[in-house]
Amino acid sequence: MSWTRKLVPSYFSGAVLAAIGFIVGSQYVWHVIGGDNWDLNSPGQSGNFLEQGFLAGFVLMTICWFIGIGALKYPFTWMFGMKDPDHAEELRLAGKDDGLIRYFRFTTDHKVVGIQYLVVTMIMLAFGGLGAMMIRTELLFPGAWAFPKETYNTIVTMHGMLMILTVISFFVGPFGNFVIPIMIGARDMAFPRLNAISIAFLIIGMAVYAFIPFMGLGDPLTQGAGVQTGWTIYGTLADQTGIGMDALGVAVFLAGVSSQVGAINLITTVITMRAPGMSYTRMPMTVWGAIGSSILSALGTASLTVDVVMILLDRVFRTSFFYAATAGDYANNGYIGGGSAWLTQNLFWFFGHPEVYLLVLPAFGFVMDATSVFARKPLFGYKTAILGLFGVVVLSFLVWMHHEFVSGFLPELRGFYMASTELISVPTGLIFLVLLGTMWKGRLWMTVTMAFCFAFIWSFLIGGITGVYLSDVPADVQLHGGMFVTAHFHYTIVGGSLMGFLGAVYYWFPKMTGRMMDSKIGWISFWGIQIGFNGTFMAMFYVGLQGMPRRVADYSPLFAGGNFVASISAFLLGASVILYFYNVIYSWKAGPIAEQNPWGAKTLEWTVPTPVPLENFEKIPVVTSGPYNYGEPVTPSAVPIPNVEAGPALG
Amino acid sequence: MEISLGGQGHDVAGHASHIDEEGKVRLGMLFYVIVDVMFALFLITAYVFLRGVNVNNLWFPDGTKNIDVMQTTIQTGILVASGLCFILAHWAVRAGFGGLVKLGITLAAILWIVALVANIQYMGHLPFTQSGGGFASMYVLFTGYHIYHMLLGLMFVIGITVRALQGRYTQEHHMGITTIGYYWYWVVIFGIIGYLLPILLPGPLH
Amino acid sequence: MRTPIILWVVVSIALAALYLFLAPILAQAGAIPPLASDVADNAYFIMKIFTLLSIPVFVGVVVFAAYSLFAFRSRGRPTDIGPQVHGNAKLLAWWLVASFVLITVLYVIGFNGLAELEAAAPSSALHVRVTAQQWIFDYTYTDYNIQSSTLYLIDNQPVEFTVTSLDVHHSFWIPEMGVKADAVPGELNTFVATPNKLGHYTVRCMELCGVMHSDMNTNVIVLSANDFGKWVSQQMSARPDGIASAGQLPEAALLDASGKRS
Ligand code: HEA
Ligand code: HEA
Ligand code: CUA
Ligand SMILES: [Cu+2]
């Protein structure tokens, strides 16, 4: 019985059931309801069985996945008023004494979920990076020499969307789940089951995402396989592009739910689960960054969800949210029209802009924390930093139309959006003030993490300042839709979030895995990443100024020089990221055993033993001072214990 | 602990906890509702937007039949009645009237299910198809979203009824009712919004 | 504190001077498209000022970070701690004031430029209606009732473009003229520009619109008023009803005008 009990339920049984669910759902629609009628153009609700079949397949696949991993057991026992799970059951769910298999299960231990998130997001990052390498290969020379144009468009779309989904979850997923509960002195997240559900949503979302390049292969009626809309999935084009769009829509929906669920969980955890004495002004900045990001996710993501739902309905059930018919002859296509193309732009960017800060806020928080630790100085203005973070959160809902300066929608408002966009550099600037002030006269310990913090300052500064160029309407009218924009956001995202993430992995690796990462490989990959990254995207700024458009497989020879440099540097970047990945895998297996507090930090996660026991704390700590008070001298031998009294667990 | 979205009264290792478990669950549900409200807000925005731009005058193409207000009034009425019964039960449980709690919740649940069936039936008999212009598309989406809400809510509805009938809710411990109330009221409110929009902001602007 | 401040000032001035020296050379060498309209002049003038203003910001942050890196670095794991300061209200106030002043200046500059961009078309303006569809632009001269697939413009005469689309989003861009407008199905998007240099340019589609997006280019030719007049009369006489032929639309464009796979 033992192995069946271990494997069922687990992700393996979930995968098997999900596969069955997909086959049953899709085949049922295609063959039974649709009667093998592949006429794509029959109007009205009965047509388009191909896409309806895929949609049914994905929906059933998701449901079966949740059944297969055992996530629905609790809701159903609750629903029918059966016995609440007892203690032994809860322990089993948390993965006690379960060995390796608990990492492949629906589990309520926040640390296991954190590790699951880390692995899943790093795999996503690798695939997104693979897409980036394919893009750069195509752009190595003018002319569509490596891929057909429709394939290139699909690659760009998949790279953009996958990377965004990755970056949305690669901070609040791994570290938000693993580290933050310990940081605030909690024994788990507020809703351990929701926690497990949010990673399960992400995994099934990514499984659906993997369908994209294969859907519509060899179908003469679609415009090539995949989805050729760019990550912005403007409804007008999404309504008519390849049927990969259906998979993309479902995947984005699922990933969106995952991030909303995670956000709800994180905010509730921080509000209700703090240890005694852990007042709001004693929380490390990482927590604040993750909170800001979660707020944006909770409030903004729904806009994207509405957008993809409308696209899916437009495609599969022929509604007309985005379909603006211009002449009567469309009527015989089954559409009447009445939709608006501006609606899709506004829905997308109302999500899109808060989302970009969602990507970077956790990195802000982490970089401030790490700077303080490695400078052995308290934050230069704790309240200033919070003001900066929350200024960004509030303002980020007021600027989305700067992506639509040339769309023709309410051009009278461009002045306002220019002002709000420029205003957002003030709170962002406060973060820089805090960082510089914290370093000043510190005892800078140059670890790889600290080096990534410096890289963050450098690259985000460039990304931010070029953002201010784009916020200026006359300049944006010229630069919009070109490689300058692409370079701007890679400088902010790769240079901000990704650098922060790489630093954070290095920083928390000892706590999460019990081993140190190799510092020599770390330094080599650091320099490779810096040189490759700056080379790639500086060259991209250059071709952007020259006037190279985005999302073109084939460009004029005028831009050949800059693109060649960019591609070669990108390959260096790719190789260095692979080296970093190698470092992670190698050190996980064979790195030196880490001490409890290798960096001498004062936050709570370093006060618990490594590996962190189930339930984290023997006794809930009572916190009596802030997270950055390096009051006593720090010596390498005597690991500093922060000012924490082990108090009695309160009733 | 009546409803627990995964939280435990104690933690796994059996420590008693200093954490306000009930407050935690209430807060979680509140945030869930907020996320849902955002979704609804974007739907409403889209409705107003499409009506406002009215591209090619196809928001409400000539000849489109409008919805049957009588029918929607009855449906919304049933839903509101369900909400009122729920309020009654909530009041009763706080006041300690055990029998009234059972009655209120059961009535609320039955009305909920009736409203759900009526909605689904009505969805099949709309006077237009989903392809019939901006208004038609929007209306179908609103109704569909509402039905999805009620289907999801079915889980809560059944669970809470079973528990009420088992007599698990007491004057002191009835967090299940409070928390699920948030969801219940929100669905009723959304039902009212979806009912009023086509009446207050009907056909084309010009 | 003295050293980094001096460094900041010196490096900023040096970089600004270098920029002013290099900018025209680089522009000559093709770093930016050759400018051919008032709108483009406006945009690049603003970018130039922005660059000059952001140099001190950029240099300031970099110099202070780099200085910290070299001056306060500890060899290996630090054994003591830094000064336990928790912030500096005066510095914060100055930082805020400086940022606000800076963005105000940027905003005023930008707003001026925006006003220029939005200036209404003079009555003498040429009216061109741009119709985009997958994957071609098509131009109608409403003043003359001429249709053309190449865009002919007049030197030093304002043009009012009205852009629309028949199927999906496109974006109409002439790099040398700094004008860009999304082509949105069912909507009209209007803007004005005055070409100020004779020559051949290109129109580019700047919004992903499907398979052939990267090939959606057409030619722009800026003519003198005289030559343009000749071209117009030639076109008018080409067809008795005064409406010139639409030119050859590629097969694919017709295929997809329905907005759904056809
Ligand atoms: C992490 C993501 C991230 C971040 C943080 C930002 C930050 C900013 N972005 Fe960016 N942006 C994107 C990701 C991001 N962006 C993406 C993905 C797109 C394109 C999407 C697409 O089209 O596909 C985009 C596109 C984009 C556009 C639209 C371009 C176009 O398509 O035409 C604009 C225009 O205003 C813009 C502006 C800004 C501004 C003003 C900031 C500011 O927040 C920057 C603020 C920071 C600083 C200014 C530096 C530090 C400050 C100081 C040192 C203080 C002193 C300085 C001053 C007072 C100026 N961005
Ligand atoms: C959100 C985050 C994000 C991140 C991190 C990146 C990272 C990178 N991006 Fe991406 N990018 C986007 C978001 C992101 N991008 C978006 C939103 C778009 C717009 C899409 C659109 O227009 O619609 C875009 C578009 C885009 C383009 C423009 C395409 C075009 O318009 O034609 C280019 C071109 O060079 C590019 C390059 C890169 C490169 C070189 C990296 C590098 O930093 C990547 C480095 C990482 C790696 C290289 C991973 C290493 C691993 C491997 C190489 C794989 C090993 C394999 C296995 C183990 C299986 N990106
Ligand atoms: Cu038209 Cu791109
Ligand atoms: Cu933005």
Side-chain angles (χ1 to χ4, degrees):
Chain A
M1 91 119 197
S2 69
W3 70 268
T4 38
R5 187 150 168 74
K6 277 193 165 163
L7 285 183
V8 183
S10 74
Y11 287 164
F12 303 111
S13 60
V16 171
L17 220 59
I20 295 174
F22 176 76
I23 293 170
V24 169
S26 53
Q27 298 296 322
Y28 183 74
V29 173
W30 289 336
H31 302 308
V32 181
I33 299 185
D36 282 312
N37 171 9
W38 300 109
D39 179 7
L40 283 175
N41 271 314
S42 43
Q45 42 196 335
S46 55
N48 211 349
F49 290 116
L50 181 60
E51 301 193 47
Q52 285 178 10
F54 271 117
L55 205 60
F58 292 142
V59 170
L60 210 59
M61 174 173 162
T62 310
I63 295 173
C64 288
W65 159 257
F66 280 108
I67 295 174
I69 61 175
L72 296 188
K73 184 163 170 238
Y74 179 74
F76 275 93
T77 52
W78 180 85
M79 188 165 133
F80 296 113
M82 297 191 241
K83 191 162 64 69
D84 280 341
D86 60 9
H87 200 171
E89 168 103 38
E90 294 282 8
L91 277 179
R92 212 183 75 79
L93 252 182
K96 189 167 164 38
D97 304 327
D98 238 7
L100 217 55
I101 186 72
R102 72 180 190 278
Y103 291 102
F104 299 94
R105 267 204 13 218
F106 181 82
T107 160
T108 55
D109 182 355
H110 72 99
K111 296 180 289 297
V112 177
V113 175
I115 301 277
Q116 287 174 345
Y117 256 116
L118 186 66
V119 173
V120 169
T121 47
M122 287 190 84
I123 293 173
M124 286 160 71
L125 187 65
F127 276 103
L130 199 64
M133 295 301 115
M134 288 157 88
I135 294 176
R136 284 320 322 176
T137 310
E138 170 64 66
L139 296 183
L140 199 49
F141 308 115
W145 69 280
F147 305 106
K149 282 170 185 162
E150 58 267 32
T151 312
Y152 180 79
N153 289 350
T154 299
I155 296 171
V156 171
T157 310
M158 289 187 68
H159 161 74
M161 196 49 112
L162 181 59
M163 277 299 199
I164 294 283
L165 297 179
T166 311
V167 179
I168 283 182
S169 43
F170 76 9
F171 247 100
V172 291
F175 310 123
N177 277 309
F178 193 108
V179 181
I180 285 184
I182 317 184
M183 266 186 169
I184 61 169
R187 288 212 164 102
D188 205 325
M189 297 290 273
F191 307 114
R193 281 195 183 77
L194 279 192
N195 213 16
I197 284 179
S198 88
I199 176 82
F201 262 115
L202 188 65
I203 294 175
I204 191 68
M206 288 306 109
V208 175
Y209 201 90
F211 275 78
I212 297 174
F214 308 109
M215 281 169 69
L217 268 186
D219 178 357
L221 284 169
T222 52
Q223 298 180 9
V227 42
Q228 306 185 40
T229 56
W231 82 290
T232 47
I233 45 173
Y234 281 174
T236 45
L237 185 57
D239 278 2
Q240 54 141 289
T241 190
I243 62 171
M245 186 60 221
D246 296 330
L248 186 94
V250 175
V252 166
F253 184 94
L254 294 173
V257 173
S258 158
S259 104
Q260 286 168 330
V261 169
I264 293 175
N265 203 351
L266 195 88
I267 301 176
T268 315
T269 306
V270 173
I271 293 183
T272 61
M273 307 273 286
R274 281 165 294 125
M278 175 59 80
S279 61
Y280 284 119
T281 50
R282 283 182 184 157
M283 297 198 305
M285 268 303 142
T286 306
V287 181
W288 281 114
I291 288 284
S293 165
S294 298
I295 293 175
L296 294 179
S297 157
L299 299 183
T301 310
S303 183
L304 177 67
T305 317
V306 171
D307 194 25
V308 295
V309 165
M310 287 178 168
I311 289 171
L312 288 177
L313 290 177
D314 266 7
R315 292 177 61 88
V316 181
F317 296 105
R318 294 183 171 257
T319 51
S320 47
F321 295 107
F322 303 132
Y323 186 70
T326 38
D329 62 359
Y330 296 125
N332 50 28
N333 239 348
Y335 276 104
I336 291 183
S340 165
W342 279 334
L343 179 61
T344 184
Q345 281 183 297
N346 281 301
L347 281 178
F348 185 84
W349 289 118
F350 193 88
F351 149 81
H353 193 89
E355 174 269 345
V356 305
Y357 290 102
L358 192 173
L359 305 180
V360 85
L361 283 180
F364 281 177
F366 168 72
V367 168
M368 286 192 277
D369 261 2
T371 309
S372 161
V373 169
F374 292 112
R376 295 288 192 264
K377 272 187 68 192
L379 221 52
F380 189 73
Y382 188 88
K383 302 241 165 80
T384 314
I386 292 180
L387 189 71
L389 289 177
F390 281 82
V392 170
V393 169
V394 172
L395 282 175
S396 67
F397 283 105
L398 301 175
V399 301
W400 82 94
M401 289 236 306
H402 66 215
H403 297 273
E404 301 167 38
F405 278 153
V406 298
S407 73
F409 177 65
L410 294 184
E412 313 79 46
L413 289 183
R414 290 191 288 189
F416 168 76
Y417 284 101
M418 178 160 94
S420 60
T421 307
E422 280 170 7
L423 207 56
I424 216 167
S425 38
V426 175
T428 316
L430 291 183
I431 309 286
F432 277 77
L433 173 67
V434 170
L435 286 175
L436 293 178
T438 307
M439 276 179 217
W440 191 253
K441 293 215 162 98
R443 303 287 178 270
L444 281 186
W445 179 14
M446 288 307 293
T447 57
V448 176
T449 301
M450 193 59 213
F452 274 115
C453 294
F454 274 101
F456 169 94
I457 294 180
W458 165 265
S459 7
F460 193 80
L461 183 65
I462 296 176
I465 289 179
T466 48
V468 177
Y469 281 60
L470 292 173
S471 71
D472 182 81
V473 181
D476 184 66
V477 168
Q478 176 70 346
L479 297 171
H480 172 83
M483 279 298 187
F484 190 92
V485 177
T486 314
H488 151 70
F489 69 73
H490 282 90
Y491 254 100
T492 49
I493 301 180
V494 180
S497 316
L498 189 64
M499 296 301 167
F501 171 74
L502 296 176
V505 170
Y506 195 91
Y507 180 77
W508 278 310
F509 198 78
K511 192 46 71 183
M512 294 177 81
T513 67
R515 290 173 190 274
M516 302 293 287
M517 273 176 73
D518 189 288
S519 105
K520 199 144 148 228
I521 310 182
W523 277 108
I524 299 173
S525 60
F526 171 79
W527 282 111
I529 288 172
Q530 293 320 314
I531 296 169
F533 165 67
N534 283 291
T536 310
F537 295 107
M538 280 294 175
M540 202 181 277
F541 274 128
Y542 184 74
V543 292
L545 278 176
Q546 283 187 307
M548 177 170 167
R550 291 167 72 171
R551 301 155 165 175
V552 289
D554 177 8
Y555 54 88
S556 129
L558 186 65
F559 315 123
N563 272 302
F564 188 75
V565 175
S567 289
I568 298 297
S569 313
F571 298 146
L572 174 62
L573 170 62
S576 316
V577 176
I578 291 177
L579 187 65
Y580 188 99
F581 276 45
Y582 166 77
N583 194 1
V584 169
I585 297 167
Y586 162 83
S587 308
W588 206 322
K589 283 215 301 249
I593 302 290
E595 43 178 311
Q596 181 175 331
N597 186 357
W599 315 121
K602 307 221 91 180
T603 41
L604 282 180
E605 78 270 27
W606 304 104
T607 65
V608 295
T610 312
V612 187
L614 191 66
E615 298 295 316
N616 310 340
F617 297 96
E618 185 68 32
K619 292 196 171 117
I620 294 286
V622 176
V623 184
T624 58
S625 74
Y628 308 114
N629 287 352
Y630 302 94
E632 314 93 59
V634 181
T635 53
S637 50
V639 178
I641 303 294
N643 303 335
V644 167
E645 299 160 8
L650 305 182
Chain B
M1 268 293 295
E2 285 311 333
I3 167 180
S4 107
L5 297 168
Q8 304 102 21
H10 47 80
D11 52 51
V12 173
H15 304 289
S17 141
H18 64 287
I19 291 156
D20 172 10
E21 291 292 334
E22 300 208 343
K24 194 172 86 180
V25 178
R26 270 201 307 266
L27 206 61
M29 182 58 101
L30 195 67
F31 285 135
Y32 169 73
V33 170
I34 289 178
V35 168
D36 218 1
V37 168
M38 287 311 289
F39 194 97
L41 270 183
F42 293 122
L43 283 186
I44 296 167
T45 315
Y47 183 101
V48 177
F49 192 106
L50 281 188
R51 178 165 180 270
V53 291
N54 191 9
V55 181
N56 296 317
N57 260 321
L58 286 174
W59 161 251
F60 204 87
D62 295 337
T64 309
K65 275 206 228 97
N66 209 333
I67 46 160
D68 182 356
V69 178
M70 205 48 216
Q71 168 93 15
T72 56
T73 310
I74 295 173
Q75 276 167 18
T76 317
I78 300 175
L79 192 65
V80 171
S82 157
L84 290 177
C85 289
F86 198 92
I87 293 178
L88 177 74
H90 195 177
W91 171 80
V93 77
R94 267 175 301 180
F97 300 133
L100 201 52
V101 177
K102 288 182 187 172
L103 181 72
I105 296 265
T106 315
L107 265 181
I110 291 173
L111 287 171
W112 178 288
I113 292 170
V114 171
L116 174 60
V117 173
N119 253 303
I120 292 176
Q121 191 267 351
Y122 170 63
M123 181 88 162
H125 293 91
L126 287 177
F128 38 69
T129 70
Q130 73 275 31
S131 315
F135 172 78
S137 296
M138 248 1 275
Y139 193 78
V140 170
L141 181 52
F142 261 87
T143 318
Y145 183 57
H146 190 50
I147 290 178
Y148 150 79
H149 259 147
M150 299 183 71
L151 280 174
L152 185 75
L154 214 50
M155 192 185 94
F156 293 143
V157 171
I158 296 175
I160 199 173
T161 317
V162 169
R163 279 158 185 257
L165 293 180
Q166 286 173 349
R168 289 219 214 172
Y169 296 120
T170 63
Q171 196 166 1
E172 296 80 40
H173 292 287
H174 53 265
M175 190 196 33
I177 295 188
T178 322
T179 331
I180 288 175
Y182 294 159
Y183 185 81
W184 208 297
Y185 303 143
W186 159 236
V187 174
V188 172
I189 292 172
F190 185 79
I192 296 174
I193 295 173
Y195 164 68
L196 287 182
L197 263 186
I199 293 177
L200 297 181
L201 300 174
L205 267 183
H206 359 267
Chain C
M1 204 68 185
R2 278 266 293 283
T3 331
I5 290 182
I6 295 173
L7 267 175
W8 178 14
V9 175
V10 172
V11 175
S12 297
I13 294 176
L15 215 60
L18 188 70
Y19 168 71
L20 286 179
F21 172 69
L22 277 184
I25 300 179
L26 282 174
Q28 209 65 48
I32 58 171
L35 310 184
S37 86
D38 61 335
V39 179
D41 291 342
N42 184 7
Y44 282 97
F45 175 70
I46 288 180
M47 282 193 237
K48 207 169 196 167
I49 296 185
F50 267 47
T51 310
L52 285 176
L53 284 175
S54 51
I55 282 176
V57 177
F58 175 72
V59 173
V61 174
V62 170
V63 159
F64 275 88
Y67 183 82
S68 303
L69 174 58
F70 290 110
F72 309 129
R73 183 163 179 179
S74 80
R75 295 256 137 246
R77 184 173 178 140
T79 48
D80 61 343
I81 57 172
Q84 303 292 297
V85 274
H86 288 264
N88 181 337
K90 228 165 106 188
L91 185 59
L92 174 64
W94 276 113
W95 180 282
L96 279 178
V97 169
S99 329
F100 273 114
V101 168
L102 192 58
I103 59 165
T104 314
V105 173
L106 295 179
Y107 186 72
V108 169
I109 298 168
F111 199 79
N112 266 334
L114 180 61
E116 228 166 284
L117 196 72
E118 283 181 343
S123 53
S124 64
L126 182 69
H127 294 268
V128 179
R129 189 172 169 128
V130 182
T131 311
Q133 58 181 295
Q134 286 169 326
W135 287 274
I136 192 145
F137 287 108
D138 199 48
Y139 309 98
T140 312
Y141 292 81
T142 38
D143 305 326
Y144 310 99
N145 229 345
I146 300 178
Q147 214 171 7
S148 160
S149 57
T150 303
L151 180 59
Y152 290 89
L153 298 176
I154 313 171
D155 191 20
N156 272 325
Q157 160 140 17
V159 200
E160 188 182 45
F161 294 96
T162 307
V163 186
T164 190
S165 161
L166 292 184
D167 37 43
V168 301
H169 275 96
H170 303 267
S171 193
F172 172 84
W173 187 42
I174 308 174
E176 291 83 1
M177 295 188 193
V179 291
K180 187 178 290 141
D182 279 0
V184 181
E187 311 284 354
L188 302 178
N189 195 356
T190 310
F191 64 92
V192 184
T194 313
N196 55 17
K197 218 174 346 42
L198 297 176
H200 286 242
Y201 309 105
T202 18
V203 172
R204 274 241 23 115
C205 176
M206 282 301 259
E207 189 60 63
L208 185 53
C209 52
V211 185
M212 309 266 281
H213 161 66
S214 50
D215 301 326
M216 194 162 158
N217 313 323
T218 50
N219 292 325
V220 189
I221 300 174
V222 179
L223 301 171
S224 63
N226 243 339
D227 292 343
F228 184 80
K230 272 187 221 147
W231 177 74
V232 168
S233 46
Q234 197 187 333
Q235 295 292 310
M236 302 276 260
S237 57
R239 292 265 305 251
D241 56 358
I243 301 172
S245 82
Q248 225 53 41
L249 292 185
E251 186 94 351
L254 295 173
L255 249 179
D256 261 281
S258 63
K260 188 75 184 171
R261 299 182 288 280
S262 34

